[in-house]
Amino acid sequence: MAETIIKIDLNKSAYENDKIHNRWHPDIPLVATVKPGDDFIVECYDWTGGQIKNDDNADDVRDVDLSQVHFLSGPIGVEGAEPGDLLEVDILDIGTFEESQWGFNGFFSKQNGGGFLTEHFPDAQKSIWDFNGMFTKSRHIPNVEFAGLIHPGLIGCLPSKDLLDTWNKREAGLVATDPERVPELATLPNGDTAHMGQLKGDAARAAGAEGARTVPPREHGGNCDIKDLSRGSKVYFPVYVDGAGLSVGDLHFSQGDGEITFCGAIEMAGWIHLRVNLIKDGVKKYGIKNPVFKPSPIKPRYDDYVIFEGISVDEDGGQHYLDVHVAYRQACLNAIEYMTKFGYTKAQAYAILGCAPVEGHISGVVDIPNACATLWLPTGIFDFDINPSADGPKKMTSGGMDVPLSKDKE
C-alpha cells in the first residue's frame, strides 16, 4: 500500500495546511522527499480551496477570491534531482473522496476572471455534477451523462529564481500594454493572499510578493489543463531546482478540450497516486523546453461525433489572419447554437462543452487568411439522438431548468 505523504482536511482552510501552497517560488520548502522509483499518494483540495458549495446558488462563483488560487499539494522533493534533469512522473491512479462525490463547473463574471466566451456569458453561473462511479450527471443540465476521465489540471516543478524573474517580467510587460483591460491580460504577483507552505515570517512575505501566480501554464508545466493526463499517463518535467519540487492540484473529474468556461472542467477535491523517476541531464539530451507526456491508455470511448467547424472570422464579421483562438471560439459558438435547437439554454450548452469529453482540433493553419478549428461533440453522452436529420431537431429537454446565475453586485 502506497503511503499518503500529503493529507488534507476538507473541513479546514487550505491556509491551515503547511503542505499546501498557492504560488510558485524556489524558496518554498519541500514538504516531503521521495526516492526515484518510489510511489506515493497525495491528497488535493479543489482549486479554490473549498470556496464553492454544493448548492443551487451561483453567488459563490460570482464572489470567488481568485487571488487565492490555485491551492497545490507540495512541493515534493526527489532525491538526486538537479537542474537540467527530467523528472519522470507516472500517474498510477487518481480518484474522488468517498465523502465528496460531487464537483462543480462555473462561468466567472467578466468582472472577476471572465472566460473564453465571456462576452457572450458575462455573468457568474454554476452547475453541480454528481458522481456515480465513473459516470457523472448534473441536476442543472438534463438528458446528459458521461464517463469521467479524472486528471490533474495543474502539475509541475518549482522554478529557479531566474525562471521566476523571466515569468514576472514578461507577464508584467504584457499587462502594461493594456493595464485597464477587463479581464486582465495576466495575473501578477499578489502577496496579500499568498500561502507559501512551510515558509514563514518575513521570508514568506518576501517570497509571496514576487511568487508567480498559478493561473497559466508555463515552461515547467503548471496549469496546462490537459484532459488526457490521467491514469496511466507518463509526464516528463524539466527540473530547475535541486530536488525538483513537484506540486499537483486542480483535479478535474472531466473536461472538454480547451476548458472553455475557464472554471471549465468539473472541479473536485480528491487524491492522486504517483511514481517518480529521473532522467539525468534529460533536458539537454532530448531538447526539452516544455513538458512532454504519454497519454493514458484508459479513456471514455465515444465513436460517433457531431463535428463543428469554426474559421478565423469573428462574431462581428471581422477577418483575422490564421487566428486559431478565433476559429475555435466560432466552433464552440456554433455547437452552442446547435444544441439550443434541442431545448438546451445557451448556458447549459456552454457548460456541456466545458465538462464533457469533447475534443478540440486545429484542423488547418495554412490556408490564408482563415484558420480552421473543429469541436467534436460525442453523441453518446445524450439520451436522445442529437444528429442532424431530415425531420429536423426536436425539443428534448423538459424546460424550466437552467444553470443558476448570479448577477454582479451593483
Side-chain angles (χ1 to χ4, degrees):
M1 179 71 71
E3 179 185 0
T4 300
I5 62 173
I6 298 179
K7 297 182 179 181
I8 66 169
D9 184 342
L10 295 179
N11 296 312
K12 293 183 178 179
S13 168
Y15 284 103
E16 298 179 44
N17 191 323
D18 68 0
K19 294 187 176 182
I20 305 296
H21 64 100
N22 66 354
R23 301 291 191 267
W24 293 113
H25 196 285
D27 292 346
I28 299 174
L30 304 177
V31 300
T33 300
V34 298
K35 297 178 180 178
D38 284 353
D39 68 291
F40 50 89
I41 295 171
V42 173
E43 296 181 349
C44 302
Y45 288 92
D46 82 78
W47 74 297
T48 73
Q51 294 185 61
I52 310 303
K53 306 305 179 185
N54 184 356
D55 59 27
D56 302 322
N57 187 317
D59 286 358
D60 49 7
V61 171
R62 179 194 64 198
D63 301 333
V64 65
D65 184 353
L66 294 179
S67 73
Q68 296 183 16
V69 299
H70 301 70
F71 288 99
L72 307 179
S73 298
I76 299 161
V78 180
E79 286 188 11
E82 299 172 299
D85 294 344
L86 283 180
L87 179 65
E88 178 185 293
V89 179
D90 289 290
I91 301 176
L92 302 178
D93 203 358
I94 185 169
T96 61
F97 291 128
E98 184 175 349
E99 69 273 22
S100 184
Q101 293 293 307
W102 66 280
F104 62 90
N105 171 261
F107 316 162
F108 290 146
S109 163
K110 183 179 178 181
Q111 303 302 317
N112 187 27
F116 187 57
L117 301 179
T118 194
E119 301 301 330
H120 298 268
F121 299 90
D123 297 309
Q125 296 189 251
K126 177 177 74 176
S127 57
I128 298 297
W129 296 79
D130 294 308
F131 307 150
N132 182 16
M134 65 183 292
F135 294 95
T136 187
K137 57 184 177 181
S138 172
R139 60 182 178 266
H140 299 127
I141 304 172
N143 304 96
V144 63
E145 182 177 24
F146 48 84
L149 184 64
I150 307 178
H151 59 279
L154 203 162
I155 184 171
C157 295
L158 290 178
S160 65
K161 184 60 166 62
D162 286 346
L163 184 59
L164 174 65
D165 291 343
T166 296
W167 294 347
N168 285 338
K169 180 179 179 180
R170 74 187 183 200
E171 290 168 24
L174 177 63
V175 170
T177 65
D178 189 0
E180 303 303 319
R181 184 180 186 272
V182 177
E184 66 242 336
L185 286 169
T187 53
L188 301 182
N190 179 345
D192 292 344
T193 54
H195 180 38
M196 307 305 286
Q198 295 181 352
L199 198 63
K200 305 299 180 185
D202 290 343
R205 285 186 285 274
E210 64 178 6
R213 301 289 299 282
T214 60
V215 174
R218 298 185 180 95
E219 289 87 343
H220 69 146
N223 194 24
C224 295
D225 293 313
I226 301 171
K227 67 178 175 60
D228 299 296
L229 295 185
S230 189
R231 296 178 180 92
S233 293
K234 186 188 295 284
V235 196
Y236 301 88
F237 293 101
V239 173
Y240 301 97
V241 300
D242 288 341
L246 177 69
S247 296
V248 61
D250 187 27
L251 303 187
H252 300 161
F253 188 86
S254 178
Q255 179 201 296
D257 279 339
E259 199 190 20
I260 64 170
T261 63
F262 183 33
C263 183
I266 300 176
E267 310 285 350
M268 55 170 266
W271 54 268
I272 184 167
H273 184 184
L274 303 173
R275 180 174 59 218
V276 295
N277 275 292
L278 289 173
I279 299 178
K280 301 299 293 182
D281 200 28
V283 169
K284 182 178 180 180
K285 287 177 179 176
Y286 290 101
I288 298 297
K289 180 179 179 181
N290 299 87
V292 298
F293 75 96
K294 300 284 291 181
S296 169
I298 302 170
K299 64 184 300 183
R301 188 169 299 279
Y302 293 101
D303 299 319
D304 185 66
Y305 297 85
V306 179
I307 301 172
F308 300 88
E309 292 187 19
I311 60 174
S312 50
V313 177
D314 65 30
E315 298 92 306
D316 298 322
Q319 180 70 63
H320 298 256
Y321 180 75
L322 298 180
D323 191 324
V324 174
H325 182 277
V326 172
Y328 193 54
R329 188 170 75 236
Q330 298 312 304
C332 293
L333 290 170
N334 291 340
I336 288 169
E337 182 65 23
Y338 182 91
M339 282 190 279
T340 65
K341 305 306 180 183
F342 295 87
Y344 287 113
T345 68
K346 289 188 176 183
Q348 288 173 328
Y350 187 27
I352 290 170
L353 298 186
C355 296
V358 305
E359 295 185 10
H361 295 258
I362 299 173
S363 300
V365 290
V366 296
D367 299 315
I368 60 171
N370 285 334
C372 177
T374 52
L375 182 142
W376 298 41
L377 178 66
T379 61
I381 70 174
F382 301 96
D383 65 7
F384 59 89
D385 186 0
I386 201 169
N387 289 294
S389 73
D391 294 333
K394 296 180 180 179
K395 184 175 180 180
M396 301 302 298
T397 62
S398 56
M401 178 187 298
D402 201 356
V403 176
L405 179 148
S406 290
K407 291 284 189 180
D408 289 333
K409 295 177 181 177
E410 295 294 335

